[in-house]
């Protein structure tokens, strides 16, 4: 079986026949270039916006290729401030009103509030956004536009019960419109949160 194959490769003098624990796999630059071209071609067919990130998928390893406008955070979130807004950043408990367009790795639009005709409104700190999206919007300012590249580990849960069948990167172009303070109001037995 497998041991014979390894012995054969070692015997023929091919260097580095197997990856060191799969972490530092030396990839053939030609393969990477081919995969990158393939990804770019699909993205062109999907008419992606300028400077859209590229994804080179090799088995379970995905490499994100971006221009130097993007920064990568310790969390793995990749982002580019297309336009920086003004004022304060939203705090937990406040409501953010924003527009967004969501894309998959091949640049196909999955979702867009622009097409729905009204922006999204979400209170931060209530676990109603995927972690990467919340992290990305938390330090934006109203009027700001940002592209957020969410790695799978900061993305939605994956499985048969969800829209997402496999762990993919997602890209969101977000425009933060405004931030509202929220307070709890109680009328008789009924209590709700009002944001304005």
């Amino acid at each position: 079986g497998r041991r014979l194959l390894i012995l054969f490769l070692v015997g023929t003098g091919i260097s580095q026949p197997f990856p060191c624990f799969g972490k530092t796999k030396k990839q053939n630059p030609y393969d990477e270039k081919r995969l990158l071209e393939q990804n770019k071609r699909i993205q062109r067919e999907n008419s992606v916006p300028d400077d859209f990130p590229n994804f080179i998928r090799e088995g379970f390893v995905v490499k994100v290729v971006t221009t130097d406008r993007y920064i990568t955070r310790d969390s793995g979130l990749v982002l580019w401030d297309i336009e920086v807004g003004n004022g304060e950043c939203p705090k937990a408990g406040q409501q953010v009103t924003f527009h967004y367009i969501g894309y998959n790795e091949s640049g196909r639009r999955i979702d867009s509030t622009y097409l729905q005709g009204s922006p999204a409104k979400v209170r931060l700190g209530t676990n109603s956004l995927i972690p990467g999206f919340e992290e990305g919007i938390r330090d934006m300012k109203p009027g700001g536009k940002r592209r957020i590249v969410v790695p799978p580990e900061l993305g939605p849960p994956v499985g048969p019960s969800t829209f997402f069948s496999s762990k993919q990167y997602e890209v969101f172009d977000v425009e933060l419109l405004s931030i509202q303070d929220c307070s709890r109001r109680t009328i008789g037995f009924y209590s709700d949160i009002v944001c304005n």
Side-chain angles (χ1 to χ4, degrees), residues 64 66 70-80 130-140 146-155 169-172:
V64 183
T66 62
Y70 289 82
I71 59 157
T72 303
R73 295 210 170 139
D74 293 344
S75 66
L77 196 72
V78 178
L79 48 90
W80 166 33
I130 61 168
F133 196 106
E134 176 137 349
E135 181 189 331
I137 206 168
R138 205 184 291 138
D139 57 357
M140 286 182 75
R146 172 179 277 182
R147 181 167 297 153
I148 304 169
V149 183
V150 179
E153 56 275 16
L154 295 177
Y169 277 77
E170 289 164 309
V171 181
F172 296 99

Side-chain angles (χ1 to χ4, degrees), residues 50-117:
D50 292 344
D51 274 345
F52 197 81
N54 284 104
F55 301 92
I56 300 174
R57 186 171 276 285
E58 188 62 58
F60 292 113
V61 184
V62 178
K63 186 172 170 185
V64 183
V65 182
T66 62
T67 61
D68 51 13
R69 291 176 166 174
Y70 289 82
I71 59 157
T72 303
R73 295 210 170 139
D74 293 344
S75 66
L77 196 72
V78 178
L79 48 90
W80 166 33
D81 277 312
I82 299 166
E83 224 168 281
V84 177
N86 296 300
E88 299 278 308
C89 296
K91 296 172 190 66
Q94 287 184 319
Q95 176 177 274
V96 286
T97 301
F98 57 93
H99 269 302
Y100 74 91
I101 304 172
Y103 305 89
N104 66 13
E105 286 179 11
S106 64
R108 198 164 56 79
R109 285 168 185 76
I110 305 169
D111 197 3
S112 165
T113 52
Y114 296 106
L115 288 179
Q116 292 160 17

Side-chain angles (χ1 to χ4, degrees), residues 107-185:
R108 198 164 56 79
R109 285 168 185 76
I110 305 169
D111 197 3
S112 165
T113 52
Y114 296 106
L115 288 179
Q116 292 160 17
S118 64
K121 290 175 188 259
V122 176
R123 278 181 64 226
L124 290 186
T126 57
N127 291 332
S128 43
L129 291 169
I130 61 168
F133 196 106
E134 176 137 349
E135 181 189 331
I137 206 168
R138 205 184 291 138
D139 57 357
M140 286 182 75
K141 296 169 179 177
K145 292 180 181 179
R146 172 179 277 182
R147 181 167 297 153
I148 304 169
V149 183
V150 179
E153 56 275 16
L154 295 177
V158 165
S161 62
T162 64
F163 175 70
F164 301 93
S165 57
S166 66
K167 291 198 169 298
Q168 290 256 332
Y169 277 77
E170 289 164 309
V171 181
F172 296 99
D173 280 354
V174 185
E175 180 183 0
L176 180 59
L177 302 174
S178 60
I179 301 168
Q180 294 82 36
D181 284 317
C182 302
S183 57
R184 183 171 285 287
R185 98 188 144 170

